Amino acid sequence: MNQNWDENSIPSQNGKRILITGATSGLGAQAAKVLLSKGAQITVAVRSPQKMAKTFSQEQLAQIKVLQVDVSLISSVQKTFENYNGEFETVICNAGIMATPVEKTTEGIEMQFATNHLGHFELIKLLNTQIKERVVTVASLAHQIGSFGNGSVSSIEKKIKGEASYTRWGYYGSTKLANLLFTLELNLRAEKYGFPYRAFSSHPGYTKTNLGYARKELNQKFIRDKFFRAADPFFGQKIEIGTLPILYAATYPDLPANSYIGPSDFFEFKGYPKIVHSNKNANNKVLANSLWIASENLINQIK
């Protein structure tokens, strides 16, 4: 592995069809720009296509296919992808929110779980036979504080619906644990049923994006806003570096299935990408299977 792997290390992506969720700004937008520059055919699934004009040039926008999808709503994901006519080499599940005040979607799912996990779960299931190489999820160091109670299907369903005791960071950490468990189970099922793709996870460390404090529309308190703005100059890395783990997971040749990619320095807060390790809960196959069953149950209830 190149110790200073960066976007110049990415092999040509000519002809690669790549879908990225949540690409109006931040990590998703940067990943789209880099992969586009490498020759990939980029499709983005975003809630507000109009916002892309603030991030991408007109030349870039002319080359990107834009799908309007609210990944927090199963009905929106199904409307777009249930009969989608197209294939992708790679799908990057990037859309996410972080530590927001308690809120549920109109479908009865806790908002962080709906956005960070359940919508992507349904997206990948719907495109399952149309993905040819890779699925990449964007997890977080916060998975270390995530939990699913006793790990039963019913307790997981309760958590995803927001019926367990709510703390913003506790729930966020649990959604990121869900990302890693989903990746684990997805690999097991792809291997079992002979699907050609493999799944990988990544995390950006501490990267300066608007994820930490651009939450006025959710009535977020200003305390966290001030914390992130104060900490960013000392700990936050530039988005060009923070996006590298996603790009590594999406493009590095012959990457072992279920690899987890994160920054290499300062306790994985910053640095060039490398294979890192998640905690033991994220590698619990029984818990991963229970999460899968719980997710299917909830989607069936929404239908």
Side-chain angles (χ1 to χ4, degrees), residues 260-280:
Y260 183 32
I261 311 300
S264 55
D265 298 328
F266 195 59
F267 305 101
E268 299 178 25
F269 268 43
K270 58 175 63 178
Y272 291 98
K274 70 172 186 177
I275 295 177
V276 296
H277 300 286
S278 54
N279 69 6
K280 64 179 183 180

Side-chain angles (χ1 to χ4, degrees), residues 23-44:
T24 53
S25 63
L27 299 171
Q30 178 64 18
K33 290 177 182 178
V34 172
L35 292 168
L36 190 66
S37 74
K38 295 293 181 176
Q41 299 172 18
I42 300 297
T43 300
V44 299

Side-chain angles (χ1 to χ4, degrees), residues 73-124:
L73 293 175
I74 300 302
S75 58
S76 179
V77 173
Q78 291 172 341
K79 180 180 179 181
T80 301
F81 292 106
E82 198 154 28
N83 296 300
Y84 189 81
N85 182 24
E87 296 179 335
F88 300 101
E89 272 67 45
T90 299
V91 176
I92 301 174
C93 301
N94 166 77
I97 57 176
M98 181 173 72
T100 54
V102 61
E103 182 182 2
K104 288 190 178 185
T105 69
T106 54
E107 296 172 334
I109 305 298
E110 189 278 322
M111 185 62 76
Q112 292 193 78
F113 264 105
T115 307
N116 299 354
H117 167 65
L118 201 62
H120 288 120
F121 176 88
E122 179 68 352
L123 169 65
I124 298 304

Side-chain angles (χ1 to χ4, degrees), residues 235-254:
F235 298 108
Q237 60 184 353
K238 292 181 179 179
I239 191 141
E240 290 83 359
I241 302 297
T243 308
L244 292 178
I246 297 174
L247 294 169
Y248 191 104
T251 66
Y252 193 86
D254 302 319

Side-chain angles (χ1 to χ4, degrees), residues 74-75 78 82 107 109 118 121-122 125-126 153 157 160-161 292-303:
I74 300 302
S75 58
Q78 291 172 341
E82 198 154 28
E107 296 172 334
I109 305 298
L118 201 62
F121 176 88
E122 179 68 352
K125 285 202 69 183
L126 291 172
V153 171
E157 289 181 17
I160 294 175
K161 289 192 291 186
W292 188 283
I293 295 169
S295 301
E296 285 187 326
N297 289 347
L298 290 172
I299 288 171
N300 288 334
Q301 290 173 25
I302 292 170
K303 289 180 180 179

Side-chain angles (χ1 to χ4, degrees), residues 98 137-144 169 172-173 176-177 179-180 202-205 260 268:
M98 181 173 72
T137 60
V138 181
S140 167
L141 284 169
H143 83 272
Q144 304 277 359
W169 283 104
Y172 176 68
K176 298 291 103 177
L177 175 59
N179 293 154
L180 292 166
S202 65
H203 81 81
Y260 183 32
E268 299 178 25

